[in-house]
Amino acid sequence: MVNEDQNSVATAIRGAEFEGFVASTLFNEGWSVAVRALDISSLISYLEEEPHAVSLVLISSDVEGLTHETLAQLHNTGRKIFLFAATAGASEIYSDTYPQPTNALDLLGLIRGSLRSPLLQSSRQVKVRAKTIAFASTMSSSGCTTMAMNYSAELALGGKKTLLVDAHAYSTAIAIRLNQRGLNTAHEARNIATDLWALEITQENIAQTMSLLDLARQDFDFIVLDLGVIRDFPGILTGRRWCSETFIWMSHHADELWIASKSDPLALDRLRIFAREISRHSIKPVISFIHLQLGVSKKSKNKDDAFLTIVTPLKPVRILQMPWDPRSVLQAESEGAMLYESNEKGMLRRFIAHSVGELIA
């Protein structure tokens, strides 16, 4: 049995240019290429001698020694095999070939998707309608869930059919905050307001809800994901645990990733780690940062400068200064309501409504 946490691959790719592209892309993403075989025979020998060394195998259709028999032999090792078509007719000979990716995101999308169990991989090719925005934070109590919930609500108020997804791995919150009991057992997205639906992803319903998420891309105008706290960014992208599923999906399908953070010393330290990690990995969504402002003072000015120093090199699309408004948040929580329902003129509600207005203008 191959170690599920192993981040090593084996390759047997004949074309030097494509082989170099694959090896360098994987290296930049934290994967190691354990062996770069020149033919199928030496690849199989390595896998037999080192049964726990790699979890993924990438080969090209023109590599020496490839036959239906040797391909079946590779599949029987229990590893995920990627066979890339080196010629136009390769797919007629081998039915399970992939076109050769031409950029890093396409290659990484295949590999990250392969880490999902077969039940979670969608074979549907959908016409994408939805714009997908994901919210996450570098540590708890940074306003990530509040932003995702109320951003969704404002989109719906603007007449956009919106799906709000609670994808917190271990601390789902939206159902509780909105008094939506049984949301985690729903067999489909639940309509909770005009033009607003909600879906909760848990370990128990992961296969079904990920399938619904794939279909939602053609049914909704917007999908808003609440990913919660991001820890160990590289580990999430190369992990095979259920809690990585939505994040891996986001890395390949989302349009924007918004990161919320405070600027106290601990938050800044977590933000530095995140910035360092994400700068080394390729994901599809562009990044924005939400700076949760706890007050105005000389010390806060220094913290603001530190925040900007960390995030500016990542070239974010936007850096938003979100006002700290605990009274409005607590009032909305106690009422099981969105901000526009509990305190329509509150500064936090106005901030979010303005942000949404700029997006859909």
Side-chain angles (χ1 to χ4, degrees), residues 13-21 36:
I13 299 173
R14 186 171 182 175
E17 184 176 349
F18 182 59
E19 197 274 341
F21 157 72
R36 299 163 80 166

Side-chain angles (χ1 to χ4, degrees), residues 2 8 22 26 43 124 139 151-152 185 202 205 243 245 264-265 276 278 280 283 293 295-296 302 307 309 325 328:
V2 177
S8 295
V22 169
L26 294 178
L43 174 63
R124 303 181 183 90
M139 61 182 298
Y151 203 91
S152 301
T185 59
T202 65
N205 71 7
C243 55
E245 302 300 336
D264 58 84
R276 183 169 61 248
I278 200 170
R280 299 171 180 169
I283 59 175
Q293 300 231 293
V296 179
N302 293 335
F307 185 97
T309 298
D325 191 1
S328 292

Side-chain angles (χ1 to χ4, degrees), residues 307-328:
F307 185 97
L308 292 173
T309 298
I310 295 170
V311 304
T312 300
L314 297 175
K315 299 180 179 179
V317 174
R318 61 184 72 80
I319 301 174
L320 302 177
Q321 307 290 333
M322 186 167 79
W324 176 238
D325 191 1
R327 181 176 297 179
S328 292

